[in-house]
Amino acid sequence: MKNLLIASTSTVYGGTYLDYLAEEMAELFKGTNEIIFIPYARPGGITHDEYTEKAASAFQKIDKKLIGLHTFKNPAEAINSAKGVFTGGGNTFVLVNALYHFEAMQPLREAIFKGLPYMGTSAGSNICGVSMQTTNDMPIIYPPSFKTLGAVPFNLNPHYLDPEPDSKHMGETRETRIKEFHTQNTVPVVGLREGSWLRVTGEKIVLKGKLKARIFEQGKDAYEVESGTEFSNFKV
Amino acid sequence: MKNLLIASTSTVYGGTYLDYLAEEMAELFKGTNEIIFIPYARPGGITHDEYTEKAASAFQKIDKKLIGLHTFKNPAEAINSAKGVFTGGGNTFVLVNALYHFEAMQPLREAIFKGLPYMGTSAGSNICGVSMQTTNDMPIIYPPSFKTLGAVPFNLNPHYLDPEPDSKHMGETRETRIKEFHTQNTVPVVGLREGSWLRVTGEKIVLKGKLKARIFEQGKDAYEVESGTEFSNFKV
């Protein structure tokens, strides 16, 4: 029975790191006081130690201890015996490359399907999708594959941004990019705005937070779903 | 003796497709009336035919005929005998994947180093760099490599965007993304704003258009260079 919290961002505008998720985090990880942190995405290039320290201080507020996966000799084994896992944001290419390099992708997938409480923010949410192919990140490293955990039957686009009507920028909008994805792929995409998250319990997937999410399916116009929508009830 | 025009965008705000580049295009391609168009990047997923038609109508204004590379049985041979090549924008992953698939990447590189007049916009400019790893595009297809033409000794970031001081968005700025690139790579990056282009003649590389460009080197603060700057005169 799956048990996941898939968040668009770690930090909402005006807030502090993970503060808006504190209640949900406490609920997700209620069964354990020790959580493994996957720091591989290295936002801004910070070290694994620095990143773990930052995340640990947010978890201290809900009385949980965080241990960096990089401190284990055998990351795959550490995942196998973990009671909870949190993967932070950063660069999705760097994250996915490291998960493959340390042979942790498959053990993480298996653990999640067996019920491991898992939380992801941003890049850590991207990898919950079928593939990382709707990330916003730069391809700063070449991973062995774009395939990810497939913990949900669609892809995520975290930090989803609406087009700015007054923009003079000629680069593609986020919606255009996702439409281009659908010229090559059939997997649906959930655009999660900052402050939104998905709560997965078993086969039930619910949109939470105050905002709507934007859904992209191949061959259909994009559409909005309200907070509280059960994704399990409609075919994405 | 290299001969390239590497533009940030095909279209500037308020303009029409390629209009601001007409004079430079005419100068670049003055030795030929027939140019091969590489439509592989498929912006918005349009077909190769549709894209070639669009580009051809802009080239008609400077009395040049454009022929889509997709209409040749053997793209590599077509490149070998081309008198001029233009690669349009779109998705860089799709473009690079197709260039490798049709075995056209290496012939194009060799032709450029022998003096083939080459013009690129957006994704077509990205591939002039050492790698495509500073593209803004989504990884909607998995190419066999991120390595590109290396026609210039640095990478490009077309459509370069300055951070918006009033933004409430928590996703990474362009500058942050490029800094993350430099945690993994040593190649310098030229951030080309929309309306800027590089003109390469032999070993001389000059920034053109009205705007400054932003230069990113590993281990240094990013800095601005004025239009007219010769990139050949400073080490990037």
Side-chain angles (χ1 to χ4, degrees):
Chain A
M1 132 116 191
K2 281 186 272 188
N3 192 13
L4 297 96
L5 196 170
I6 300 172
S8 175
T9 185
S10 61
T11 315
V12 290
Y13 180 75
T16 59
Y17 187 69
L18 297 179
D19 63 350
Y20 79 104
L21 288 170
E23 208 175 304
E24 280 280 43
M25 283 158 57
E27 204 276 320
L28 175 72
F29 294 121
K30 65 184 173 207
T32 179
N33 290 318
E34 213 172 86
I35 293 146
I36 287 184
F37 176 59
I38 303 184
Y40 295 157
R42 300 183 58 198
I46 61 170
T47 66
H48 294 151
D49 278 341
E50 285 164 350
Y51 198 14
T52 304
E53 206 174 302
K54 179 185 174 173
S57 68
F59 273 77
Q60 227 163 26
K61 292 177 193 162
I62 58 162
D63 290 319
K64 307 283 177 192
K65 193 182 163 191
L66 218 61
I67 307 168
L69 185 58
H70 66 292
T71 62
F72 291 87
K73 213 168 175 179
N74 187 327
E77 264 178 31
I79 295 283
N80 286 337
S81 50
K83 299 279 176 280
V85 165
F86 166 45
T87 305
N91 184 289
T92 310
F93 291 85
V94 175
L95 170 60
V96 167
N97 189 64
L99 285 170
Y100 278 112
H101 176 77
F102 293 114
E103 295 176 353
M105 187 71 89
Q106 188 58 23
L108 184 54
R109 176 180 155 89
E110 286 168 18
I112 285 171
F113 275 78
K114 279 181 202 152
L116 171 76
Y118 176 92
M119 168 169 148
T121 58
S122 194
S125 294
N126 254 321
I127 62 169
C128 293
V130 175
S131 80
M132 55 162 285
Q133 293 183 267
T134 47
T135 177
N136 311 309
D137 296 336
M138 263 189 189
I140 63 176
I141 202 163
Y142 185 73
S145 169
F146 285 161
K147 207 183 152 201
T148 48
L149 298 168
V152 288
F154 45 80
N155 269 11
L156 281 304
N157 182 252
H159 301 281
Y160 181 75
L161 257 188
D162 293 293
E164 286 175 50
D166 299 329
S167 174
K168 293 180 178 173
H169 186 66
M170 304 301 286
E172 291 88 348
T173 64
R174 192 68 62 79
E175 178 150 342
T176 300
R177 295 178 190 283
I178 297 171
K179 279 184 185 164
E180 286 181 359
F181 170 77
H182 280 142
T183 66
Q184 308 285 332
N185 303 274
T186 56
V187 178
V189 180
V190 174
L192 271 187
R193 295 184 175 93
E194 294 177 350
S196 289
W197 66 95
L198 300 177
R199 187 72 177 90
V200 183
T201 44
E203 294 310 306
K204 191 170 152 189
I205 306 171
V206 182
L207 176 64
K208 303 192 83 170
K210 289 180 188 147
L211 305 168
K212 294 177 188 176
R214 193 157 181 86
I215 313 295
F216 302 86
E217 295 182 68
Q218 197 185 37
K220 271 197 194 180
D221 286 340
Y223 58 96
E224 299 280 321
V225 293
E226 302 281 342
S227 179
T229 299
E230 273 196 35
F231 282 60
S232 24
N233 286 349
F234 64 87
K235 287 275 161 265
V236 285
Chain B
M1 132 115 191
K2 281 184 271 186
N3 192 12
L4 297 96
L5 197 170
I6 300 170
S8 174
T9 184
S10 62
T11 314
V12 288
Y13 180 75
T16 59
Y17 187 67
L18 297 179
D19 63 350
Y20 79 105
L21 288 171
E23 210 175 301
E24 280 279 44
M25 283 158 57
E27 205 275 321
L28 175 73
F29 294 121
K30 65 185 173 204
T32 180
N33 290 318
E34 214 172 87
I35 293 145
I36 288 183
F37 177 58
I38 303 183
Y40 295 156
R42 301 183 57 198
I46 61 170
T47 67
H48 294 152
D49 278 341
E50 285 164 349
Y51 198 13
T52 304
E53 206 174 303
K54 179 186 175 174
S57 68
F59 272 77
Q60 227 164 25
K61 292 177 194 163
I62 57 162
D63 290 320
K64 308 282 178 192
K65 192 181 165 193
L66 219 61
I67 307 167
L69 185 58
H70 65 292
T71 63
F72 292 87
K73 211 168 177 179
N74 186 327
E77 264 178 29
I79 296 284
N80 285 338
S81 50
K83 299 280 176 279
V85 165
F86 166 44
T87 306
N91 184 289
T92 310
F93 291 85
V94 176
L95 170 60
V96 167
N97 189 64
L99 285 171
Y100 278 112
H101 176 78
F102 293 115
E103 295 176 355
M105 186 71 89
Q106 187 58 23
L108 184 55
R109 176 181 155 88
E110 286 169 17
I112 285 171
F113 276 77
K114 281 183 200 152
L116 172 76
Y118 176 93
M119 170 169 145
T121 57
S122 194
S125 294
N126 253 321
I127 61 168
C128 293
V130 175
S131 80
M132 55 162 285
Q133 292 181 270
T134 48
T135 177
N136 311 309
D137 297 336
M138 262 187 190
I140 64 176
I141 202 164
Y142 185 73
S145 169
F146 286 161
K147 208 183 151 199
T148 47
L149 299 167
V152 288
F154 45 81
N155 269 11
L156 281 304
N157 181 252
H159 301 281
Y160 182 76
L161 258 189
D162 294 293
E164 284 174 52
D166 300 329
S167 174
K168 293 180 177 172
H169 186 65
M170 303 302 285
E172 291 86 348
T173 64
R174 193 68 61 78
E175 179 150 343
T176 300
R177 294 178 191 282
I178 297 173
K179 279 185 184 162
E180 287 181 358
F181 170 77
H182 279 142
T183 66
Q184 307 286 330
N185 303 274
T186 57
V187 178
V189 180
V190 174
L192 271 186
R193 296 185 174 91
E194 293 177 350
S196 290
W197 66 94
L198 299 178
R199 187 71 178 88
V200 183
T201 45
E203 294 311 306
K204 193 170 149 187
I205 306 171
V206 182
L207 176 64
K208 303 191 84 170
K210 289 180 190 146
L211 304 169
K212 295 177 187 176
R214 194 159 180 84
I215 314 294
F216 302 85
E217 296 182 67
Q218 196 186 38
K220 272 195 194 180
D221 286 342
Y223 58 96
E224 297 281 320
V225 293
E226 302 281 342
S227 179
T229 299
E230 275 197 33
F231 282 59
S232 23
N233 286 348
F234 64 87
K235 290 275 161 263
V236 283

